[in-house]
Amino acid sequence: MSRDISELEERIGYSFHNRDLIVKAMTHTSYANERGAKNRRDMSYQRLEFLGDSVLSTIISTYLYKHFPNMNEGNMSKLRASVVCESSLAEIAQDICLQEYLLLGHGEELSGGKNKPSIQADAFESLLAAVYLDA
């Protein structure tokens, strides 16, 4: 991690009680692999990403439900899909400079992994899940 994690907490306006969650949220599988983690899923953000996807979907769905009372279910689904997509999540990740806090394996780092929208979007979902679990 090239920056102090407390800077990220400041950027998102949330201080973690369980610091392990935020570190896990920033840990790519390639990093866990290189460190010889026995259970890479527990040492990287994969499981958090799964939860974060659902949390984000719930947040956006609730917002749409409350703010668009006349919109039907099909249109709400389409709008949610357009909002919760890789490009928009990567953009949010870039806005908070999330890439500066990612822990990537050497090969992923060399291939420009921090700038890959898929990794940025996944990390954002992981961070969201970490906040959800910690709060």
Side-chain angles (χ1 to χ4, degrees):
M1 201 168 305
S2 59
R3 298 189 91 172
D4 186 335
I5 208 74
S6 60
E7 292 174 16
L8 177 56
E9 290 176 314
E10 214 172 288
R11 284 182 189 272
I12 64 172
Y14 183 80
S15 295
F16 278 81
H17 303 285
N18 180 351
R19 306 283 285 185
D20 291 339
L21 279 171
I22 192 169
V23 171
K24 186 185 291 189
M26 295 298 98
T27 304
H28 189 264
T29 307
S30 62
Y31 185 88
N33 285 343
E34 287 184 9
R35 300 302 180 276
K38 290 181 181 177
N39 189 347
R40 293 182 294 279
R41 284 180 295 248
D42 282 342
M43 300 305 295
S44 70
Y45 65 53
Q46 285 182 317
R47 289 174 45 83
L48 285 172
E49 175 196 346
F50 168 80
L51 177 59
D53 180 60
S54 294
V55 169
L56 183 58
S57 184
T58 299
I59 291 168
I60 299 299
S61 296
T62 302
Y63 179 88
L64 294 175
Y65 181 84
K66 288 181 176 182
H67 289 87
F68 298 95
N70 297 321
M71 188 179 286
N72 67 36
E73 179 256 344
N75 287 334
M76 286 192 298
S77 292
K78 288 177 189 174
L79 184 53
R80 181 184 58 209
S82 71
V83 172
V84 183
C85 65
E86 182 180 288
S87 61
S88 62
L89 299 182
E91 187 177 325
I92 295 167
Q94 291 166 9
D95 287 347
I96 61 173
C97 301
L98 201 57
Q99 69 277 7
E100 297 176 19
Y101 304 94
L102 290 173
L103 295 171
L104 301 176
H106 184 68
E108 194 64 60
E109 186 86 46
L110 288 176
S111 71
K114 288 186 179 187
N115 296 315
K116 291 180 181 175
S118 61
I119 290 177
Q120 292 173 345
D122 292 349
F124 177 74
E125 288 178 331
S126 300
L127 179 61
L128 184 60
V131 170
Y132 172 77
L133 290 172
D134 193 65

